[in-house]
């Protein structure tokens, strides 16, 4: 399977704990994106990387959230001191990142986070 | 904030009928994309239409784009039960901005 993969698929944690999610993009894709989706809503942009550089962060990404893409390949999204409001599906996507007019993002299956 | 707004929010049809979903957006775009999401799963890219295109076809899908009205429509012809999903439009750029989606239910 050469699609975007995310691990874990499900995570249940207690409030106050730290969690880390991993995303492996499609190989040779330069751009990697993180989105958050809550029930009944469309995905909301969190941040994106061009290779290893984090180029944009949403205001949704509070200080408790940090994302890395150290070697320009896989990425991790860490949430510190989780809150119940962090419960959501966290989606990762990747794209070639060449031409804006045709740059298609391909999504992974998501990590569903439940904070108790 | 969400740029795209899909209409209707929910649509229920019989298998074999056509389904039309609309999307309106607020600012100028380079392209508009439609995605499908089955319950609780990731998004699947369906089709991308560039701002200089007016219509595009892919299998049973037909997408139109009217940049003067800042709107797009997705038509699914001869629907199947497997088309049951949520459909989102998303506008372009480095980050996709999604609407709330149209929940399509196709009854066998």
């Amino acid at each position: 399977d050469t699609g975007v993969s995310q691990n874990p698929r499900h995570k249940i944690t207690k409030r106050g704990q730290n969690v880390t999610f991993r995303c492996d993009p499609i190989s040779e894709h330069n751009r990697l994106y993180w989105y958050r989706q809550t029930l009944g809503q469309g995905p909301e942009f969190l941040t994106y990387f061009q290779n290893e550089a984090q180029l944009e962060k949403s205001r949704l990404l509070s200080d408790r959230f940090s994302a890395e893409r150290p070697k320009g390949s896989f990425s991790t999204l860490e949430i510190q001191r989780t809150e119940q409001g962090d419960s959501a599906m966290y989606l990762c996507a990747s794209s070639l990142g060449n031409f804006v007019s045709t740059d298609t993002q391909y999504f992974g299956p998501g990590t569903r986070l439940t904070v108790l | 904030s969400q740029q795209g707004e899909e209409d209707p929010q929910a649509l229920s049809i019989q298998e074999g009928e056509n389904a039309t979903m609309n999307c309106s957006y607020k600012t100028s775009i380079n392209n508009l994309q439609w995605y499908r999401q089955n319950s609780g799963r990731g998004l699947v890219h369906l089709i991308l239409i560039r701002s200089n295109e007016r219509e595009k076809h892919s299998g049973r899908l037909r997408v139109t784009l009217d940049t003067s009205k800042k709107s797009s429509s997705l038509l699914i012809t001869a629907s199947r039960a497997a088309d049951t999903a949520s459909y989102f439009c998303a506008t372009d750029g480095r980050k996709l901005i999604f609407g709330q989606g149209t929940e399509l239910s196709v009854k066998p």
Side-chain angles (χ1 to χ4, degrees):
Chain A
D1 191 328
T2 57
V4 178
S5 62
Q6 292 186 246
N7 288 288
R9 295 291 306 277
H10 302 273
K11 179 69 178 178
I12 299 174
T13 191
K14 293 181 178 179
R15 189 178 53 173
Q17 298 294 306
N18 300 344
V19 294
T20 300
F21 310 140
R22 176 178 170 128
C23 170
D24 288 90
I26 295 171
S27 60
E28 298 180 356
H29 275 193
N30 296 318
R31 288 192 180 156
L32 186 148
Y33 311 78
W34 286 98
Y35 293 85
R36 182 175 70 185
Q37 185 178 25
T38 53
L39 197 63
Q41 301 294 316
E44 293 178 294
F45 170 80
L46 292 178
T47 187
Y48 94 97
F49 294 83
Q50 174 79 34
N51 299 314
E52 65 274 11
Q54 188 174 17
L55 297 187
E56 188 169 349
K57 293 196 293 185
S58 162
R59 283 174 289 180
L60 292 174
L61 216 64
S62 75
D63 292 343
R64 298 183 297 106
F65 289 69
S66 62
E68 294 182 343
R69 194 183 183 197
K71 298 181 181 179
S73 56
F74 73 90
S75 175
T76 57
L77 177 67
E78 181 183 15
I79 308 174
Q80 297 182 324
R81 305 181 302 282
T82 53
E83 302 172 354
Q84 288 184 325
D86 297 331
S87 295
M89 175 80 89
Y90 289 85
L91 295 163
C92 176
S94 70
S95 71
L96 281 171
N98 43 14
F99 302 108
V100 172
S101 65
T102 58
D103 197 31
T104 298
Q105 293 185 27
Y106 296 90
F107 282 78
T111 294
R112 183 170 295 282
L113 173 66
T114 301
V115 181
L116 302 176
Chain B
S1 63
Q2 295 188 311
Q3 154 110 293
E5 292 186 5
E6 289 89 348
D7 170 59
Q9 289 190 346
L11 180 60
S12 182
I13 59 174
Q14 293 294 131
E15 206 166 30
E17 293 180 340
N18 295 341
T20 299
M21 289 160 269
N22 302 298
C23 167
S24 60
Y25 57 92
K26 298 174 183 175
T27 63
S28 60
I29 61 172
N30 291 309
N31 65 58
L32 185 142
Q33 303 180 44
W34 285 90
Y35 285 82
R36 182 187 73 217
Q37 185 176 39
N38 292 87
S39 180
R41 302 178 73 175
L43 288 93
V44 173
H45 181 261
L46 295 176
I47 195 166
L48 179 152
I49 185 165
R50 297 184 218 182
S51 60
N52 62 355
E53 296 175 312
R54 292 296 168 257
E55 187 171 315
K56 200 164 183 179
H57 297 254
S58 177
R60 294 184 295 112
L61 305 179
R62 172 177 166 246
V63 170
T64 62
L65 180 65
D66 187 337
T67 53
S68 66
K69 295 181 180 178
K70 292 187 169 56
S71 67
S72 173
S73 68
L74 171 67
L75 168 68
I76 303 174
T77 60
S79 64
R80 306 166 182 168
D83 294 329
T84 295
S86 292
Y87 291 82
F88 295 91
C89 68
T91 51
D92 67 286
R94 294 176 295 277
K95 59 186 182 187
L96 292 176
I97 302 176
F98 289 86
Q100 290 186 316
T102 291
E103 196 172 323
L104 174 65
S105 174
V106 182
K107 299 179 181 178

